[in-house]
Structures are given as C-alpha cells and as structure tokens.
Amino acid sequence: MENLLYIGKDIPRTAEIDKVTGRAVYIDEYKRPGMLYGKILYSQYAHARIKSINTEKAKRLPGVRAVITGYDIPDVRVGFLGDQAVLKRDVVRQFRDEVAAVAATSPEIAQEALKLIEVEYEPLPAIFDPIEAMKPDAPLVHESDARGRPLRSNILPLPWKFSAGDVEKARQESAHIVTDSVTTTWINQCCMGTSGCVAEFDSNNNLTYCGQTNVIFGAKQRIATYLKNIGLKGKKIRVFNPVVGGSFGTKLDTDIYEFICIQLALKTRKPVKIRFTREEEFAVLPPRQAARFTVEQGCDKNGLLTFRKVEAILDNGAYTSWGATTPSVMMLPISSMYRVPNVSFQATCVYTNNIYSQAMRGYGNPQAAFAVETSMDHLAEKAGIDPAEFRLINRNHPGDVTPMGLKITTCPLEQCITTVKEKIKWDEKRGKRNGRGVGMASLIHVAGGARVYLSDGTGIRIKVNEDGEVDVLSGSTDQGQGSPTVIAQIIAEATGFRPEDVNIVFGDTALGLWDAGTHASRHTFVAGNAAVRAGEMVKRQILEMAVQYIPKLLKRSLKQQKKKNPDFVEPVLDYTMVDSPEKLDLKNRMIFPKDAPDHPYFRTEVGKILTSGLHVGVGESKAVVAEVFWDPPTEMLNAEMKGNYSCTYAFGTAGVEVEVDRQTGEVKILKLVSAHDVGRAINPALVRGQIYGAAYMGVGFGLTERVQLVDGKVVNANFRDYKILTANDVVPVEAVIIEDPDAAGPYGAKGIGEPGLVPTAPAIANAIYDAVGVWIKDLPITPEKVLAALKAKGD
Amino acid sequence: MKGYEYHKPQTIKEAIGLMEGLENAKYIAGGTDVMVLVKQGKLAPANLVSLRNVGELLYLDLQNGVKMGARVTHTAIANNEFVRKRYSALPDGAGVVGSRQIRNVATIGGNICNAAPSADTACPLLVLDAKVVIVGKSGERQVPVDDFFLGPNKVALEKSELVTGFIIPAFGDNTGSAYIKHARRLAMDLPVLGIAARATIKVGGSEARCKDAFGAADDASGIIECLEAEGLVFEDVRIAMSVVAPRPMRAKKAEEAVRSKAISEKLLEEIGEIAASESQPRDSIRGEAWYRREMVKVLTKRALLRSIERVIRPDSTAFPNRLW
Ligand SMILES: Cc1cc2nc3c(=O)[nH]c(=O)nc-3n(C[C@H](O)[C@H](O)[C@H](O)COP(=O)(O)OP(=O)(O)OC[C@H]3O[C@@H](n4cnc5c(N)ncnc54)[C@H](O)[C@@H]3O)c2cc1C
C-alpha cells in the first residue's frame, strides 16, 4: 500500500487523559438539576407467588418521592421474547426479579426506603438444572407465553438447528471418532463502570435518556416501543452516552432497570438516576450465557476432519435476553473452524429459575470454541497426530466457503499456528508429561461487520471548519475501546489532516446517523469503511476548491510582492500542474501537486483554501462537509442458519505453557502467546491492548471466574469472591500481530475486539493435558477439579 | 447507614475510659474490617473509638523476642528485615494481606481482634507462641493467642478492653518458621486455607550438605532424603491452620507426633495426615472440604520444609517452586 502517514502508527490515546485524571463524566458524575435517585427491590425467592406488597411505610419516609410496584404501572412486557414485565406482578421467577422501585432525594434514602417495603411471598417449586427442567413433569417457569397462550414445557421456542452434508455417513467412514462433554458457566463481564442511566421527561413527555448502551438506535427503538405500549405514542426520544466504563456485552440489550428508571422519571416528573452498586452488578446484571455441549468429531486415517456434531443446552434462566441468541455465534467455530465438510449443530434453550444471561465479549464463540478446540486435541491424540500438525492439516484457506456459507477471504491461520508453535517452543516442550506442558487453540470470528439485524450499516458525518478542525459525528459509540484514536487516524489518513485535528462525537441519536451497534468486533471495520469513504469525499471537495484558489491566492501574492518591490521578478509557473483535483494531493494539512510535492509556490496549507472558500465576498461560498452511510455487503443468516454474515473473518491462535502442581492442582501459566490476524493494525499498540485484555479475560474464563449460584441465588456477588485476576496475577502475554490486509477492510483492517478471548481457555485446558494427562472440560479449571482428576487417574 | 460519632482519644487510658462510658461503641484501628461491615449494614455502631492517635500502641521492639504494638501495620511487619529473618511466618502472613493499599493501613491488632477464621496473621502468631497483651480498666493481662480466639469473630476481650500489643519469645537460630496462604489469586483474596509451621531443629551431620541439597535437588524427596541422612531431628514443632475450623487452630496432635523425631518422608506424610484429621473443614463457596483437608496434608509438609530451609539457608529468600 502507498506510504501511509498515520495508519499503522502507535498514536497515543490522548482522548483518554480525562479518564485517568478523573475529569471524565461517567454516569456516576452525570447530574441534572433536581435529580432523584432510584433503587430497586429484588425478589427474596427464586420462584414464588407475591401475596401482597405494602409500600405505605416506604412512601412516608422523608425524602422519598415515589414508590412503584408492578401494580402501579401498565402491565407491559419487554425483552427479546416479551417474556417479562418491568416490575413483576403476581409471580417472581428468579432472585433478581424487580418487585418494587423507589425514587428519593438521595441514594441512601432510597436504599433505606427499600427496607420499609413489605412483600409477602408464597414460595413455589423452583428448578435450577436445565436438564431437569426439560423433563415433562418439571415445574414450569412460565405458565403462559407473551401472548397468554399456555405453555407446556420449559423449552424455548427457539429452534437453533443447523445441518450441512451427511454427518451419519461421514461418521461411518471415519477412522477415528471422539465424543466429549463440555460445560461452561456464567461469567460476569466486570466492567469497571457499573450500570446506570438518567431518564428525564420534558413537559411534553419527550424523553432525554442518558444511558450506557452501545446500540443507541436499538435502545431508542426499544424505549419508543415501550413508551408507545404504556400510552406515550410518538414522543420524541434522544438517547446519548455519558463516558462509558466498559461494555463487554452488557450494554447490548436494554436492561429492566432502564425501563424502571423511565417509569420513576415519569411518575416524579424529575430526572432520575439509577446506578448499580458492584453487588447489584454481580447479582442482577445478566452474565455470559452458560452452556453444556456434547461434541463429537471424526477424521479419516490421514487426519482430515470428516464430521462434527455438536449439541448444546443453554440454561436460559427465567427470562430471555441475548444469551438465548448466542448459538448464532457458536455456529462460527462449530461450522467453520478448520475445514470440516459435514456438520450438525443443535442448541436448546431451557427456562430455569436461575438468572438469565446476555452477551459477553465473543458472544457464544468462547463457549463453543472451548468445546471444539479441546475436542480437536482429543481427536488428534486418537489419530496419533501432533495437535499443531492436526490443526495445520485441517486449516482454513483463503477462498474457502464453509458449510455455513462463510466466504473466507484472507486467512493467515497457517502463519498464526506456526508463529505460536515457534514462540512457545512447541516441538521442544510438547509431550513431556512432567508437570509442564504446552497447548494451543485457534479461532475464527466475524471481523467485517455482522449482519445480526436487517441493517449492518453505520453512518458518519464529517465537517471541516475554517481553521482546519475536523468535526466528526458518528452513530457508533465509544465504551473505552480506543475508537476516538483509531477512527481519528483513519479520518486523518483519508482526508489529509492530522489525527489531532479530528474531534469525534460518538453516541448521540440526535447527532449521529443510524448505526447497528458498536458490537461484534465491527466498529473499526464498518465505521472505518464509512470514515474512509467520507474522508475521501472531504478531500475531493477540498482539492476542487484548491484548483480554484491556489492560482488565485498565488497570483494575488505575486502581485503584492511586485507592488512592494519593483525589481521582483515573477517566476514562470506552469498552472496546469494545479488545474485539476486529480493532479493534487492533500496530506498532513498540505495541498501540493502530485508531481512536485515540494513545489515552492503551489504547496499550500489547507486552512488558506478553507478560508478562501468561505470568505468569498461576492459569490458562492463553500463549507466542506460529507456524509456517508455504509452498509456492508453482508448477509443475514437464513432459516437454516446459513449465510455470509460478515465481509471477512479473523483468525488467530493462542499457545500456552503451563506448570501444574500435582499435589495442589494449581495451574500456573508460564507463557501465553496470542497471534492474531488483524488484516492491518491501524494502531498496533491498541491492537495489542485488545489482545492483552481479551487474553486475560480468557485466562479468567479458563481458570478462575464463575458467578456461583446456589439454588438460583448469586452467592459471590463481590470482587472478593468473584475471582477476576488482579494486577499481581500477571500472566506473561506475548501479543503477536499477523498482518495480511483484507481488501474489504479500511486500509485492510479486520476487527479484533473479541478474538483474543476465544482461544485462551481451550489452549490452557490442552496444555494441562499435555502437562499431567488430565482433561478438565468443565470451566473454570479450578485446582479442585485438577486434583480430583489426578487422583481419579491414580497420580 | 446510620451516622456514628467518631472519637479520637490520645492515650490508652482515655480510649478505655471512652469505651466504658459509651453505648454501642467499637474500637477502630485501620478500619479495613470495621468500615466494610458498617457499609454492608452488618455493624451499626453509634460510636467509633479510633486508635489512630494512640501513640502508645505503635512500637516494635526487637530486643529479646518481639514486642509489637497493636497498631503496627502489615506493611511495617512485612518490610522489617529482622522480623523476616527470625520470625518469618509473621511477615509471610502480613505480606499477603489484601493488597498494598490495605496493608498500609490495616493493623495486626485489627486482624487478630477481628478474628476471622481466615486471618492471615493468626496462624503465624499461633506457631510463634505469641501472647496478646490486653489492657482494661482494671489493668493489664497477657493471654496466649491460642486462648484469645474463641470462635468466628469472637475473642477473649471484655467490654472496653483493648489489645495493646503482642509478645513473641526469642528463638535461637536453629528455629525457622513459615506461613503458606493458599488462595486463588495473589492479591485481594482470602485464603482457601492457611498453614503455618515452626520447627526447631538439630542436624547431627553436615549442615553444609543439607544446604547443598536445598540448592540442588529437583524434588522434595531428594531434599528429605539428604536431611534424613544428615540426621535432622525436629526438637520442637508448631503447626497452625486457618479456615479449616471456626477459628484459627493449632494441630496439637501433629505437633506432638513430630516432636523429637528424625525427619523422614514417612514422618512428614504422617504429620500431614494427623493435622488433616484434626482439621474440621467445611464446604463453602470458597473451597470444598475434601480439598481443604488434602491441602492441610500437602501444605503442612511444605511449611515444615520451608521452616527447615530457613534455618539451613537463612539467606535464600525464594523457596524453589520446582520442589513440587
Ligand atoms: C479489600 C480487603 C482485603 C482484605 N484482605 C485480607 C487478607 O488477605 N487477609 C486477612 O487476614 N485480612 C484481610 N482483610 C481484613 C482486614 O484488612 C484485616 O483483618 C486487618 O488486619 C484489620 O485491621 P484494621 O486495623 O483495619 O482493623 P479494624 O477494621 O480497625 O478493626 C477490626 C476489628 O478489631 C477491633 N480492634 C482493632 N484494633 C483493636 C485493638 N487494639 N484492641 C481491641 N480491638 C481492636 C475492632 O473493633 C474491630 O472489631 C481485608 C480487608 C479488605 C477491606
């Protein structure tokens, strides 16, 4: 690619200085005049009938402005399957069920008021095991569906079913077959900033909503539907973000507390803020979807994969959010990780009285990749092939169309695997079984948009001010991933300005064009593509103005010089060098003829042209502005779960070296190498940051993290007992960037937000097996599990 | 959270006097236990009597044993070179409490008076035969730390009584000690269990050869074999365990079983077994009972070996992990 000034450079994240110096306005700091504070009362039971609720005492507490229950607001259902009310009436189905809410002049008073609300329950039989819940005589979590039709089973009407080729025939023809059971559990996203929002109505009942959503238009739509259903049709809604302290999936769906906040604002006619405590964040916010898999795979005598069959059971919890849709992403590794011609996959979502789940970084991919990639090692062993070699034999290739219909464009998987092999010293360290071992796993993920809704589009607006300041309005959001820096680099490169000239406003439905959401590792790709296109339009406009104004400005200046100095000899200039925009270029704020970039007369600072274009005196003035709405050529999955739902796919491989303490079962990671195909790294430092962070999350997923539920109740709702790794637990991570620019990406870039997490846990499990010969396929891999397995094996 | 009054006495006497006169009052030192409980609503004191300004509680006297004030912070203990060398178990424990920020304000007095079954300095003080110095309105008394713990968060203090400090006897340089905190991560974690040991030993043969064994052997068996060959005898032993009972406890039967015995692989196995049989672990969200019992066996052995190493190789700071 032509020489680039800003792409590929470690531009520092200057936009973030406010965050580390405490100036940034997160939801915690966001305040409105007269604002009240909302708090929510949750259920005391996993399943119970509400016999009575008495809010009288709470209402009388000084400072309390409103107390509402399900009986005080319209009985309107919300959520992806419309299976829950905002405040629950009659029955609670999980411990996090919202029973009442208070708005008061301080959070402390609101909290105090909650204690004064008296709720009488009559416990009902509850069910916590999805397998049990599937049995015909299991107690029903829901007696009827959203439309009031009676339900007979806890199984959700979400038939996730995929089939390609002939699995039965392939099984018969396979030389080696393995079957494994794999379990993954609930994981909290652990955003640094806890959840919260501020809702405020004006006198016409138009809503201004400050929320943390990373899908601002989706949230606006859901809120609009809710308002319509409670009788506020056609009200204007503006959704915008404060500074957001992380998302990792938690800001994809509109959570129940957000509707409650809207109700409290409506009732009190005041701005109302709800902000979760850390305990609420753990106990109430939907975590990563827990899943159980049965995975069966076969290969022929040469080690070529013949088939893969996966069945998944998802503990849906009591209601439905995006967790139930994770099979659409589980599909990626199941259908398309390595070449496998015959595939079948089925996922069953089951209601239980546990908490329900939503998205988390990687969506269903980490769970499914854990199943597929540990099974790969198992099968490799059965076939007598080195697991790295086994992966290389079966690797994906550019130009492949996978059974799911994914069209693989660039694919440096071979390089990812060999790089990891080399860096982890695979050949030297593998197969010792001496307490130390190495393991690897790979991934495929969407990296070029993801058509999960009918639109996969995004819009961007660029206006250039007279002083050469570039204002950008993006319909996407910034939840801390570094987009203000990366998108500024792209815009600077495309327009010819510098990154520090670019000022981006994200996350405001009143300012941005439509965007499908800053999720699915799609932002740099889609917003970047829109930015390149809009940036080129801006540049073109400026160069057109330059054709007009360079000669004018120059002639005027020469004339003045002549006037001052009668001896001045006018240079002979070839004005045809600047007589068309094609002959000019703009870089680093300077306009110049392509043929003579250092031309002493024609080289012009962009500000002069912009000013000239505006301040024309008599005639038509011109402001530079461009707008692009870009929807990538991606396909929505069809009824068979097939379709090329991203423009391009990212590959990557993680390699891990572990040491296992055979007497305590403790696992220590000695080295973690994570090599990722990013197309092109727009900002290598930020790419590595994404890889480090995701790899750490993957280590937590693999070894320490779990939301512990006892009979439906979260019992470790704090950072003491939820074992996210600390800074002291540093794992030496080497992030390797593999570049193979993809024609579809902005300057060749692919998405890298999620991939780093995906292969980490299976690589750890595989390394443990190499070290001590036990498979732990139930996450997290705790010392207890390792020690129990070692003892069972007779060590 | 209801409000409370905050009192700042300057002397022990004043503190006790305040405590005598106030209703629903609580001492507060670093506040890292008290304030957590207050915020959680589990404690609602009307009065907090701060020990922050009581200078008499802040001393560390290392002549002839250790005399240490209740307000000494974990950081001060963990960073003291002499304590690290001669009373190693204590800084082993103090150095792994919470995080650096916590250790800078949290005190040893608070850790012991809070009496959590998981308190990280409890086992070290138990194996170091520490005494608790208590002052009340009727004067001073000294209680062995083993008699001080009564149960979870229960200690042998009467109303208004204050712990002013701790006394640890002097040990000869044939004594070493160690504490192992078994936790899921390296900071901000409570132990799944903790084990401390102290060993006073005598080597019949060559100490130099023992030293070489510690430096060179690549597993524990190799070291134990050498120690056995050089006639290492346990003259006196202490073992203490945390989290495996309602209060931090000594494994007295195990201690008895090793006293005056020559080291051997078999003996170390036995001690672990006995200690495990003395423990009464329970299943909890932080760990399963069977696992805790297993770890008592493994870590008792390791803590003893580490104690021996500290006698034989006092200058080596890092205990090699490859031993296991
Ligand atoms: C984030 C965090 C992590 C932690 N991690 C650990 C850990 O890893 N290991 C561990 O053992 N502990 C841990 N703790 C608990 C706590 O930090 C320790 O127990 C600490 O030593 C308590 O000391 P303090 O001075 O803060 O006690 P305070 O909170 O001030 O007091 C604790 C109790 O002792 C009483 N008290 C204090 N001083 C005296 C005195 N001189 N006489 C009589 N009574 C007194 C108080 O009334 C109170 O009941 C952690 C706490 C936090 C908040």
Side-chain angles (χ1 to χ4, degrees):
Chain A
M1 206 169 278
E2 75 281 4
N3 61 23
L4 298 168
L5 284 180
Y6 304 113
I7 301 299
K9 301 286 175 349
D10 290 341
I11 310 271
R13 292 176 64 167
T14 46
E16 262 70 14
I17 293 174
D18 276 359
K19 293 187 182 174
V20 292
T21 53
R23 304 175 75 98
V25 177
Y26 291 88
I27 197 71
D28 309 57
E29 289 82 17
Y30 182 77
K31 277 200 182 73
R32 297 285 299 153
M35 187 174 81
L36 301 173
Y37 298 84
K39 288 271 175 197
I40 299 167
L41 183 72
Y42 302 99
S43 167
Q44 296 289 311
Y45 290 89
H47 198 190
R49 200 169 298 288
I50 300 175
K51 287 174 70 183
S52 68
I53 309 182
N54 185 345
T55 59
E56 286 315 310
K57 283 185 199 157
K59 280 179 180 156
R60 285 201 300 268
L61 187 72
V64 169
R65 293 288 181 271
V67 182
I68 55 173
T69 70
Y71 303 95
D72 302 318
I73 62 172
D75 188 14
V76 164
R77 290 176 167 244
V78 293
F80 159 56
L81 288 187
D83 56 6
Q84 64 175 319
V86 168
L87 287 165
K88 278 64 181 177
R89 291 182 182 186
D90 305 329
V91 176
V92 288
R93 297 182 174 82
Q94 48 165 5
F95 274 98
R96 62 150 290 188
D97 262 354
E98 298 82 356
V99 175
V102 174
T105 50
S106 79
E108 290 77 20
I109 295 173
Q111 189 65 45
E112 206 54 42
L114 292 185
K115 294 187 201 145
L116 300 175
I117 300 174
E118 296 155 341
V119 189
E120 223 188 315
Y121 296 97
E122 175 192 324
L124 295 171
I127 187 130
F128 306 110
D129 179 346
I131 311 283
E132 292 296 317
M134 284 162 79
K135 292 185 178 158
D137 55 345
L140 286 178
V141 176
H142 291 271
E143 311 257 291
S144 58
D145 73 3
R147 288 199 241 151
R149 293 171 303 195
L151 286 173
R152 275 181 201 84
S153 152
N154 286 320
I155 297 174
L156 270 78
L158 283 175
W160 295 110
K161 220 177 170 115
F162 171 85
S163 164
D166 187 338
V167 165
E168 227 13 80
K169 184 155 163 280
R171 180 193 278 119
Q172 271 151 33
E173 290 165 7
S174 297
H176 308 283
I177 296 175
V178 294
T179 308
D180 291 287
S181 294
V182 171
T183 316
T184 69
T185 191
W186 297 282
I187 301 290
N188 189 275
Q189 297 83 350
C190 293
C191 297
M192 293 242 268
T194 59
S195 305
C197 62
V198 175
E200 174 173 3
F201 285 92
D202 71 8
S203 348
N204 297 314
N205 274 344
N206 293 324
L207 174 68
T208 303
Y209 183 77
C210 176
Q212 298 166 319
T213 173
N214 55 333
V215 189
I216 52 174
F217 292 93
K220 179 176 153 128
Q221 192 49 48
R222 281 190 284 268
I223 292 169
T225 306
Y226 181 68
L227 290 186
K228 184 184 95 197
N229 290 344
I230 63 169
L232 294 174
K233 196 173 164 196
K235 294 299 169 191
K236 297 188 186 71
I237 300 165
R238 176 182 170 208
V239 174
F240 69 96
N241 288 155
V243 175
V244 178
S247 160
F248 303 114
T250 59
K251 278 92 185 174
L252 226 56
D253 203 353
T254 304
D255 203 276
I256 305 304
Y257 78 84
E258 304 186 72
F259 296 112
I260 292 177
C261 192
I262 288 169
Q263 282 291 356
L264 288 172
L266 203 53
K267 170 105 181 175
T268 58
R269 311 304 310 167
K270 295 273 186 194
V272 176
K273 178 195 281 194
I274 288 185
R275 191 190 71 90
F276 276 7
T277 60
R278 183 59 66 184
E279 287 71 18
E280 274 178 300
E281 191 83 358
F282 274 114
V284 176
L285 206 70
R288 181 190 286 288
Q289 176 66 59
R292 304 177 190 207
F293 298 89
T294 307
V295 48
E296 189 186 3
Q297 287 195 101
C299 67
D300 67 15
K301 60 181 193 319
N302 299 320
L304 287 173
L305 287 171
T306 47
F307 78 96
R308 184 179 290 153
K309 183 175 180 211
V310 180
E311 281 173 11
I313 294 171
L314 275 57
D315 183 339
N316 196 66
Y319 305 107
T320 312
S321 175
W322 297 132
T325 68
T326 50
S328 63
V329 180
M330 292 179 176
M331 286 292 301
L332 280 168
I334 289 169
S335 74
S336 307
M337 186 75 250
Y338 311 114
R339 283 177 159 175
V340 51
N342 305 290
V343 180
S344 94
F345 172 52
Q346 192 178 337
T348 310
C349 305
V350 190
Y351 279 127
T352 66
N353 296 106
N354 289 320
I355 52 172
Y356 64 89
S357 302
Q358 64 179 338
M360 183 175 170
R361 200 177 201 173
Y363 227 66
N365 200 336
Q367 295 97 311
F370 185 68
V372 169
E373 281 291 37
T374 51
S375 160
M376 282 295 285
D377 265 41
H378 192 184
L379 184 56
E381 182 179 61
K382 192 129 192 216
I385 305 172
D386 172 78
E389 188 54 34
F390 189 54
R391 287 179 170 83
L392 284 170
I393 295 173
N394 288 292
R395 74 180 190 275
N396 307 81
H397 294 256
D400 282 0
V401 177
T402 77
M404 188 184 167
L406 310 184
K407 293 181 183 134
I408 307 301
T409 55
T410 46
C411 174
L413 179 57
E414 179 178 14
Q415 203 188 335
C416 294
I417 295 174
T418 52
T419 303
V420 163
K421 260 191 83 169
E422 194 182 301
K423 295 205 175 268
I424 206 90
K425 300 203 171 73
W426 182 269
D427 292 329
E428 176 192 321
K429 302 206 160 163
R430 178 83 196 171
K432 297 281 188 290
R433 220 23 75 89
N434 61 352
R436 279 195 182 199
V438 289
M440 69 162 64
S442 297
L443 90 134
I444 176 172
H445 199 67
V446 292
R451 192 167 293 268
V452 293
Y453 312 114
L454 285 168
S455 166
D456 193 9
T458 194
I460 210 158
R461 282 190 181 131
I462 304 178
K463 68 183 176 74
V464 183
N465 303 326
E466 134 185 48
D467 49 5
E469 211 181 51
V470 183
D471 282 333
V472 179
L473 303 180
S474 166
S476 315
T477 65
D478 170 28
Q479 51 258 28
Q481 71 274 35
S483 293
T485 306
V486 169
I487 300 298
Q489 284 175 260
I490 292 175
I491 286 175
E493 195 71 58
T495 54
F497 286 82
R498 301 166 309 181
E500 58 265 40
D501 298 326
V502 181
N503 167 41
I504 311 185
V505 178
F506 286 110
D508 190 336
T509 56
L511 301 176
L513 294 174
W514 205 87
D515 173 69
T518 306
H519 56 68
S521 302
R522 75 191 276 282
H523 181 61
T524 298
F525 183 89
V526 289
N529 262 312
V532 170
R533 286 164 170 77
E536 281 165 355
M537 285 162 70
V538 161
K539 187 176 194 173
R540 174 80 195 189
Q541 288 176 28
I542 294 172
L543 295 182
E544 277 168 3
M545 286 160 70
V547 168
Q548 194 181 343
Y549 292 109
I550 288 178
K552 267 194 197 164
L553 287 170
L554 192 56
K555 282 173 188 162
R556 194 191 302 155
S557 142
L558 294 175
K559 214 161 132 192
Q560 273 169 1
Q561 289 184 54
K562 181 106 194 160
K563 212 158 137 192
K564 273 193 210 145
N565 173 10
D567 297 335
F568 179 72
V569 185
E570 231 181 280
V572 183
L573 291 172
D574 175 7
Y575 284 98
T576 65
M577 285 177 84
V578 294
D579 67 358
S580 110
E582 279 75 29
K583 293 182 184 170
L584 294 173
D585 203 352
L586 166 57
K587 264 184 195 294
N588 208 7
R589 295 181 69 100
M590 297 304 287
I591 302 169
F592 53 85
K594 279 181 187 159
D595 290 339
D598 296 322
H599 196 284
Y601 294 95
F602 291 144
R603 193 173 164 85
T604 311
E605 209 277 332
V606 69
K608 287 189 187 152
I609 301 297
L610 293 166
T611 310
S612 307
L614 276 173
H615 302 282
V616 292
V618 183
E620 219 177 285
S621 61
K622 162 111 183 109
V624 176
V625 55
E627 171 176 299
V628 165
F629 183 79
W630 189 70
D631 200 358
T634 47
E635 301 166 6
M636 194 122 171
L637 294 188
N638 62 19
E640 294 177 347
M641 294 178 78
K642 290 177 187 165
N644 188 40
Y645 68 168
S646 186
C647 280
T648 180
Y649 300 86
F651 293 84
T653 304
V656 177
E657 184 185 8
V658 299
E659 184 173 59
V660 181
D661 186 325
R662 283 196 175 101
Q663 292 169 359
T664 65
E666 289 170 302
V667 175
K668 184 173 177 197
I669 295 179
L670 303 174
K671 190 177 167 93
L672 196 164
V673 181
S674 209
H676 289 273
D677 151 36
V678 302
R680 176 197 289 270
I682 306 277
N683 186 323
L686 291 197
V687 168
R688 277 191 292 272
Q690 289 292 329
I691 298 174
Y692 292 138
Y696 268 78
M697 275 189 164
V699 173
F701 182 52
L703 294 179
T704 57
E705 291 182 48
R706 58 179 156 174
V707 178
Q708 287 176 276
L709 264 72
V710 173
D711 291 343
K713 185 166 194 163
V714 176
V715 292
N716 61 336
N718 55 59
F719 275 128
R720 180 189 58 211
D721 291 321
Y722 186 89
K723 310 290 183 188
I724 191 172
L725 298 177
T726 71
N728 264 17
D729 300 282
V730 275
V731 169
V733 176
E734 184 176 353
V736 186
I737 296 172
I738 307 280
E739 292 195 301
D740 181 3
D742 195 285
Y747 300 101
K750 295 181 178 182
I752 184 64
E754 298 162 286
L757 197 158
V758 179
T760 312
I764 294 171
N766 292 340
I768 292 171
Y769 182 73
D770 186 48
V772 291
V774 297
W775 284 121
I776 312 296
K777 299 200 168 180
D778 171 21
L779 291 179
I781 304 175
T782 59
E784 278 96 337
K785 290 177 193 170
V786 175
L787 190 66
L790 285 168
K791 286 192 179 292
K793 186 171 151 264
D795 272 24
Chain B
M1 189 164 77
K2 292 265 174 3
Y4 45 77
E5 282 228 35
Y6 196 78
H7 307 269
K8 294 189 227 169
Q10 305 289 320
T11 63
I12 292 175
K13 203 167 157 218
E14 203 188 325
I16 293 169
L18 272 169
M19 207 57 162
E20 273 297 304
L22 294 166
E23 282 298 308
N24 185 13
K26 190 95 187 144
Y27 286 124
I28 178 167
T32 60
D33 279 316
V34 171
M35 289 319 294
V36 172
L37 293 172
V38 169
K39 289 212 163 146
Q40 288 173 342
K42 291 180 185 161
L43 194 70
N47 294 285
L48 286 176
V49 177
S50 169
L51 304 176
R52 266 278 160 105
N53 300 324
V54 182
E56 295 159 86
L57 299 176
L58 198 57
Y59 57 89
L60 186 61
D61 174 358
L62 299 173
Q63 310 157 58
N64 194 23
V66 179
K67 292 182 196 69
M68 150 176 88
R71 246 188 62 209
V72 173
T73 63
H74 296 297
T75 296
I77 295 170
N79 289 349
N80 188 293
E81 276 306 320
F82 187 75
V83 178
R84 272 157 68 150
K85 214 162 219 143
R86 302 307 297 271
Y87 307 91
S88 319
L90 185 56
D92 279 356
V96 294
V97 169
S99 63
R100 187 176 294 264
Q101 295 90 326
I102 295 290
R103 292 192 292 272
N104 283 344
V105 292
T107 65
I108 183 147
N111 197 230
I112 296 304
C113 293
N114 186 58
S118 59
D120 275 312
T121 61
C123 289
L125 288 184
L126 280 170
V127 300
L128 294 172
D129 289 350
K131 282 199 186 111
V132 186
V133 184
I134 301 166
V135 175
K137 62 175 193 293
S138 48
E140 185 188 299
R141 64 191 177 104
Q142 292 185 5
V143 175
V145 72
D146 198 13
D147 299 333
F148 187 67
F149 296 122
L150 302 180
N153 308 106
K154 280 208 183 63
V155 291
L157 281 181
E158 301 298 326
K159 181 181 156 87
S160 86
E161 270 188 331
L162 185 65
V163 170
T164 57
F166 303 89
I167 299 174
I168 298 172
F171 298 107
D173 49 12
N174 60 341
T175 296
S177 66
Y179 171 71
I180 300 176
K181 174 177 186 166
H182 185 76
R184 291 289 181 252
R185 51 182 183 204
L186 295 171
M188 301 300 277
D189 210 354
L190 296 181
V192 173
L193 80 163
I195 298 278
R198 168 168 68 83
T200 302
I201 57 166
K202 201 173 74 199
V203 179
S206 151
E207 269 202 35
R209 273 198 292 273
C210 295
K211 196 166 177 172
D212 290 347
F214 269 109
D218 43 42
D219 64 12
S221 298
I223 297 174
I224 297 167
E225 245 168 60
C226 172
L227 299 177
E228 192 175 354
E230 300 305 322
L232 185 141
V233 174
F234 287 112
E235 293 197 320
D236 195 14
V237 167
R238 291 286 180 283
I239 294 162
M241 329 185 261
S242 69
V243 196
V244 295
R247 44 153 288 187
M249 65 175 283
R250 292 223 340 240
K252 290 186 183 164
K253 286 184 195 151
E255 290 173 1
E256 211 44 56
V258 226
R259 190 159 302 134
S260 311
K261 295 258 171 68
I263 193 170
S264 70
E265 185 98 50
K266 193 161 151 279
L267 180 74
L268 290 177
E269 288 295 320
E270 260 173 44
I271 304 162
E273 294 284 346
I274 298 170
S277 73
E278 289 178 87
S279 70
Q280 313 142 35
R282 292 196 309 185
D283 284 334
S284 81
I285 60 156
R286 301 195 187 121
E288 294 170 40
W290 74 266
Y291 183 78
R292 289 189 164 119
R293 202 170 292 117
E294 275 312 304
M295 289 310 99
V296 169
K297 295 182 201 166
V298 174
L299 300 181
T300 300
K301 202 169 137 179
R302 290 186 187 184
L304 276 173
L305 272 181
R306 201 171 289 194
S307 305
I308 295 172
E309 190 197 12
R310 280 172 164 160
V311 174
I312 289 176
R313 287 210 305 177
D315 298 325
S316 95
T317 43
F319 197 72
N321 277 325
R322 65 188 159 73
L323 291 176
W324 323 106

